[in-house]
């Protein structure tokens, strides 16, 4: 049986975006020809392009445009001692209940006193369920060969703190950043790619002198909120929400979430936590290796405190798509348009010869090759030009470049703007500079 996207919130916007994602090749149910695997998704050609752009937008703001953050790329398979020290083996759990009637399982904190599937109140007592995926390294399935897929990228940064400190000659305040896959055996994944068992994290661990952590926490809350508006989400659809004491993760002395107004209500995009020296202290004690920083001017050694902005790339992509989706009317015809920021759109430019006739091919290919050096481009010569514009609007391409028969005479092409649909004619020679200026790339 083919899998469906199981939309949990039956709103028009949610359905429109989920359908567009499938129809236009952003997101597919994973291994669909075998019936899929529940709440697991594959990113199609446009999704792979857009997810890469989300990562790059984060990398640009968090690493490229700063001089106090360096990247790493740590292993996904992790020594179990890391998770023992970090507290994940003991406390990275959700409360699980079973329905004795229909045998479904639920997160106790997400349901009232009845099973959402069959309505039965015959539920087991809640028991802690560890969310980490366990596996075995090597051919023997023994206790000594257990390893875990990382549920967060953060620990890769803590266990490499000393390596980075010494090889990069850093001193607090400085950060280590990482983007990569994370795995959590969620009891109730859902709402499309909002909560999945395999997802992508973009995390920064920012190491600061202990007394400075409240100031840096406020700083990162403002920075991270501004990142989402910079890439096109209206500020009314975003808010900062400090956690209540009982919500805090085991490592956090204070967390503020950046939340987005999803079709079903406010939901977390990222958490900005003050992790204090919890992790460095735990790894220092557990490994027996000193992780203190020696501050030469004061002659003091200390364990830095950590402020951590941790964002989901796949969840951010979904928020950017929801925020960008729009429908309007052009020349009496309704159109769906993704008003994505040019840096996030899968393609920045579409090259569209007016006709498939051979005479337009050499110039059209020449224009394509000039643009491909700077932008991700799509080349499309099938169907009417109106339909091709609609198709590009729907996948968020900010500019279409059309080559017509006059172009052969005057070496000029037409640039069409996705949002205003305005058309500008200009020489092929000026095209790259013109688009670079308009795309802010
Ligand atoms: N190191 C801290 C940490 O991992 P988190 O709040 O558990 O913090 C950070 O996760 C972000 O990762 C969340 O704000 C969310 O955007 C994303 N995320 C968490 N669980 C997810 C899941 N199951 N599916 C998709 N994204 C998820």
């Amino acid at each position: 049986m083919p899998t469906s996207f199981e939309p949990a919130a039956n709103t028009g916007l949610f359905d429109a975006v989920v359908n567009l994602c499938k129809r236009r090749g952003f997101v597919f149910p994973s291994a669909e020809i075998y019936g899929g695997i529940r709440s697991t998704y594959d990113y199609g050609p446009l999704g792979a392009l857009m997810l890469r752009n989300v990562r790059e937008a984060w990398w640009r703001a968090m690493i490229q445009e700063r001089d106090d953050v360096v990247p790493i790329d740590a292993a996904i398979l992790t020594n179990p001692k890391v998770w023992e020290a970090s507290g994940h083996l003991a406390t990275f759990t959700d409360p699980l209940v079973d329905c004795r009637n229909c045998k479904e399982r639920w997160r106790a904190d997400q349901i009232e006193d009845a099973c959402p599937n069959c309505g039965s109140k015959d539920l087991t007592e809640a028991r802690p369920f560890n969310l980490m995926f366990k596996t075995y390294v090597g051919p023997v399935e023994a206790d000594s060969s257990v390893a875990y897929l990382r549920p967060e990228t953060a620990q890769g940064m803590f266990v490499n703190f000393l390596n980075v400190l010494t090889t990069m000659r850093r001193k607090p305040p400085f950060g280590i950043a990482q983007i990569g896959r994370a795995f959590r055996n969620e009891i109730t994944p859902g709402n499309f790619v909002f909560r999945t068992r395999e997802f992508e994290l973009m995390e920064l661990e920012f190491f600061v002198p202990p007394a400075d952590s409240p100031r840096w926490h406020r700083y990162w809350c403002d920075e991270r909120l501004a990142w989402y508006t910079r890439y096109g989400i209206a500020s009314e659809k975003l808010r900062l929400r400090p956690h209540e004491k009982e919500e805090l993760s085991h490592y956090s002395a204070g967390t503020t979430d950046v939340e987005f107004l999803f079709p079903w209500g406010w939901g977390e995009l990222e958490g900005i936590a003050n992790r204090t020296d919890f992790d460095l202290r735990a790894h220092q004690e557990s490994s027996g290796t000193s992780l203190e920083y020696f501050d030469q001017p004061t002659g003091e050694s200390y364990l830095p405190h950590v402020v951590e902005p941790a964002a989901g790339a796949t969840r951010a992509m979904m928020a950017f798509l929801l925020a960008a989706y729009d429908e309007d009317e052009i020349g009496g015809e309704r159109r769906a348009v993704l008003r994505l920021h040019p840096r996030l759109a899968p393609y920045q430019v579409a090259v569209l010869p007016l006709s498939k006739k051979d005479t337009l091919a050499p110039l059209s290919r020449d224009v394509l090759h000039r643009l491909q050096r700077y932008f991700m481009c799509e080349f499309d010569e099938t169907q009417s030009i109106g339909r091709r514009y609609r198709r590009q609007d729907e996948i968020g391409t900010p500019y279409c470049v059309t080559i017509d028969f006059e172009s052969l005479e005057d070496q000029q092409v037409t640039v069409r703007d996705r949002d205003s649909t305005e058309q500008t004619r200009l020489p092929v020679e000026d095209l790259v500079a013109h688009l670079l200026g308009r795309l802010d790339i």
Side-chain angles (χ1 to χ4, degrees):
M1 200 175 75
T3 29
S4 76
F5 280 99
E6 310 175 275
N10 200 15
T11 68
L13 173 63
F14 184 83
D15 289 350
V17 169
V18 170
N19 289 336
L20 189 152
C21 281
K22 173 77 197 291
R23 199 159 31 82
R24 288 286 147 107
F26 282 83
V27 181
F28 304 127
S30 186
E32 194 176 12
I33 58 169
Y34 288 105
I37 162 167
R38 205 174 143 231
S39 290
T40 302
Y41 297 95
D42 294 337
Y43 290 80
L46 299 196
L49 287 168
M50 184 170 171
L51 195 53
R52 179 165 180 264
N53 292 343
V54 171
R55 285 186 212 114
E56 278 186 2
W58 188 88
W59 189 280
R60 174 180 287 269
M62 306 299 274
I63 299 166
Q64 186 178 325
E65 293 177 353
R66 308 184 63 92
D67 60 6
D68 55 1
V69 177
V70 292
I72 66 161
D73 196 340
I76 289 173
L77 284 173
T78 323
N79 186 328
K81 286 185 182 149
V82 171
W83 306 114
E84 204 180 302
S86 70
H88 283 77
L89 265 178
T91 51
F92 194 61
T93 55
D94 277 338
L96 175 74
V97 290
D98 292 289
C99 170
R100 290 197 183 89
N101 182 41
C102 72
K103 314 291 178 218
E104 278 287 333
R105 292 184 156 170
W106 304 100
R107 248 175 80 171
D109 56 336
Q110 287 181 345
I111 61 170
E112 301 295 328
D113 56 352
C115 169
N117 186 43
C118 69
S120 166
K121 293 196 172 178
D122 191 7
L123 304 173
T124 59
E125 283 295 306
R127 61 190 185 283
F129 172 75
N130 197 294
L131 300 185
M132 286 199 293
F133 279 99
K134 189 176 182 178
T135 187
Y136 297 91
V137 173
V140 183
E141 291 195 9
D143 284 352
S144 56
S145 56
V146 165
Y148 294 91
L149 304 189
R150 64 183 178 197
E152 60 169 18
T153 66
Q155 297 304 322
M157 276 131 8
F158 297 126
V159 297
N160 278 294
F161 171 71
L162 209 52
N163 284 337
V164 175
L165 193 69
T166 49
T167 55
M168 302 304 288
R169 294 178 298 117
R170 296 283 157 168
K171 61 182 223 155
F174 83 100
I176 309 178
Q178 177 167 211
I179 299 177
R181 292 272 160 160
F183 303 83
R184 294 181 192 177
N185 201 0
E186 300 279 1
I187 298 167
T188 46
N191 281 356
F192 194 40
V193 297
F194 179 82
R195 179 169 287 107
T196 49
R197 295 191 172 104
E198 174 178 350
F199 59 100
E200 194 146 314
L201 269 173
M202 309 186 287
E203 295 195 286
L204 167 70
E205 308 305 323
F206 201 72
F207 301 90
V208 302
D212 295 349
S213 63
R215 183 167 64 81
W216 280 106
H217 188 255
R218 280 194 299 279
Y219 168 87
W220 281 111
C221 288
D222 295 344
E223 281 291 300
R224 294 306 304 149
L225 190 67
W227 184 79
Y228 292 96
T229 53
R230 172 177 173 184
Y231 286 99
I233 302 186
S235 46
E236 317 79 85
K237 295 217 160 156
L238 291 168
R239 72 176 188 192
L240 287 172
R241 188 186 66 81
H243 277 205
E244 304 290 338
K245 268 228 149 44
E246 42 307 341
E247 288 180 77
L248 289 175
S249 310
H250 62 276
Y251 51 72
S252 177
T255 297
T256 299
D257 284 347
V258 179
E259 292 190 337
F260 172 69
L261 191 53
F262 284 93
W264 59 87
W266 290 100
E268 175 186 341
L269 282 179
E270 90 174 67
I272 300 143
N274 179 354
R275 290 181 83 128
T276 68
D277 60 4
F278 179 90
D279 302 271
L280 289 183
R281 186 171 295 284
H283 289 303
Q284 175 170 276
E285 277 165 17
S286 181
S287 68
T289 306
S290 169
L291 299 178
E292 290 195 335
Y293 170 73
F294 175 67
D295 189 44
Q296 217 134 28
T298 60
E300 280 173 23
S301 292
Y302 65 87
L303 275 177
H305 280 211
V306 171
V307 176
E308 174 198 69
T314 36
R315 196 179 282 186
M317 175 174 145
M318 183 178 173
F320 285 123
L321 285 168
L322 287 163
Y325 185 85
D326 195 13
E327 289 177 8
D328 63 5
E329 219 175 273
I330 302 292
E333 204 189 310
R334 273 196 89 64
R335 71 162 179 168
V337 52
L338 281 183
R339 301 192 192 280
L340 287 171
H341 187 285
R343 280 194 202 278
L344 297 185
Y347 298 111
Q348 282 74 55
V349 187
V351 176
L352 312 175
L354 195 65
S355 141
K356 261 176 105 167
K357 287 220 170 74
D358 288 349
T359 40
L360 288 185
L363 181 60
S364 304
R365 291 277 164 193
D366 174 47
V367 168
L368 176 69
H369 294 146
R370 282 170 191 247
L371 294 174
Q372 278 176 325
R373 296 182 58 197
Y374 300 89
F375 313 111
M376 191 69 212
C377 299
E378 191 175 44
F379 187 80
D380 183 5
E381 53 181 3
T382 56
Q383 298 186 321
S384 76
I385 192 69
R387 287 185 75 155
R388 279 183 278 161
Y389 282 154
R390 289 301 103 81
R391 191 184 130 77
Q392 295 303 328
D393 291 342
E394 204 183 17
I395 63 172
T397 310
Y399 295 104
C400 291
V401 173
T402 309
I403 297 98
D404 55 31
F405 291 101
E406 247 181 272
S407 308
L408 299 176
E409 309 296 321
D410 62 6
Q411 294 293 303
Q412 298 213 6
V413 291
T414 304
V415 175
R416 174 190 178 269
D417 179 294
R418 174 194 70 199
D419 295 334
S420 66
T421 73
E422 252 171 41
Q423 303 198 4
T424 316
R425 199 150 172 93
L426 76 162
V428 172
E429 281 305 316
D430 300 346
L431 194 55
V432 166
H434 175 86
L435 288 173
L436 280 173
R438 287 178 76 171
L439 283 164
D440 175 39
I441 286 184

